[in-house]
Amino acid sequence: MMCDGDHTKPPCFSTLGLRRGVHGSGSLKLPRIGAHAVRESWHERFAETPDVLKSSLRRQTVVPVLDLEIGGDEFITMAGPCSVETEFQLMATANHVRRGGARILRGGAFKPRSSPYAFQGHGLEGLKMLARAREESGLAIVTEVMSEEDVPMVAEYADILQIGTRNMENYSLLEAAARSGRPILLKRGMVATIADLLRSAQCILDNGNPNVILCERGIRTFETAMRNTFDVAAIALLKQISHLPVIADPSHAAGHRDLVPALARIAVAAGADGLLVEVHPNPDKAWSDGEQSLDFAGFDDMMDGIEPYLALRGPARTQRGRALVRPMEAVG
Ligand code: PEP
Ligand code: MN
């Protein structure tokens, strides 16, 4: 043992001093550049956004939505079409996803489209269709709000306001949405870092709204095979450092429907509190995002596929909607 007891020699960095008895005392001693100096703590790293970080006082935020709690024991699936198209399309989807265990209906009435010639959404008419779907299905509604002026109108119809990836850093929209008092589903910007996402969440909290739900929906990287790169590590990290619920959107992350079930399973394994998934009665005829939308059978398969992964997370993690609905289906 070259280093033992010989203080005239430089410290033995070949083992970083971790071998038992290295310093003669038998206890573990770290060299002066100890582990704490290798990287700062997550709390230091995200010190700019203290209110979104877990603390001894705030371990987990549970967001109430109608009779649901997001971030609590129940795993919450939000499902529905990318865009609200027709009364039939919306109602058929709402009824199917409810029977399959979804608790919240998604659907865009205001669509942020890259092309000005693409379908932009039905606006107020779409919101009214969503409200009727809520009445008929009992599902809560999440829908996107794209501009500050639209906030009061969208908040009148929606149970959760979705802030889309393209608007994550639109601070005047964030402030207006926060002040509406509705829970906010904050999607990560496609080129936003985790720190950027947390800054936007902090902005909503600063404006008096504690009910923020973070959403990982994939980011842009050099990989182009998928529409985006699903940042699954972000889900794990957000669950570790933040008390806010985290929802995963495998549809926009994948961009291809055949990848969606696998990404959904991975999201569950990473600790997500729920999913946001696009479902359409006839995806090939969808007015937007058909390639990534599941059909009804695909949705059922995805829901079946996540069950064992939820079970691994412990008995508290359930999909209440499914447990209630499946036996009825078997009968009917
Ligand atoms: C959507 O949910 O349909 C949508 C437009 O999402 P994103 O803002 O993540 O692209
Ligand atoms: Mn979409």
Side-chain angles (χ1 to χ4, degrees), residues 267-279:
V268 174
D273 295 293
L275 296 173
L276 179 72
V277 191
E278 289 185 338
V279 181

Side-chain angles (χ1 to χ4, degrees), residues 82 106 111-112 144 162 164-166 187 217 252 278:
C82 178
R106 63 145 292 147
K111 294 305 302 176
E144 177 161 357
Q162 176 174 322
T165 194
R166 296 159 188 81
K187 293 191 114 184
R217 48 78 71 201
H252 289 85
E278 289 185 338

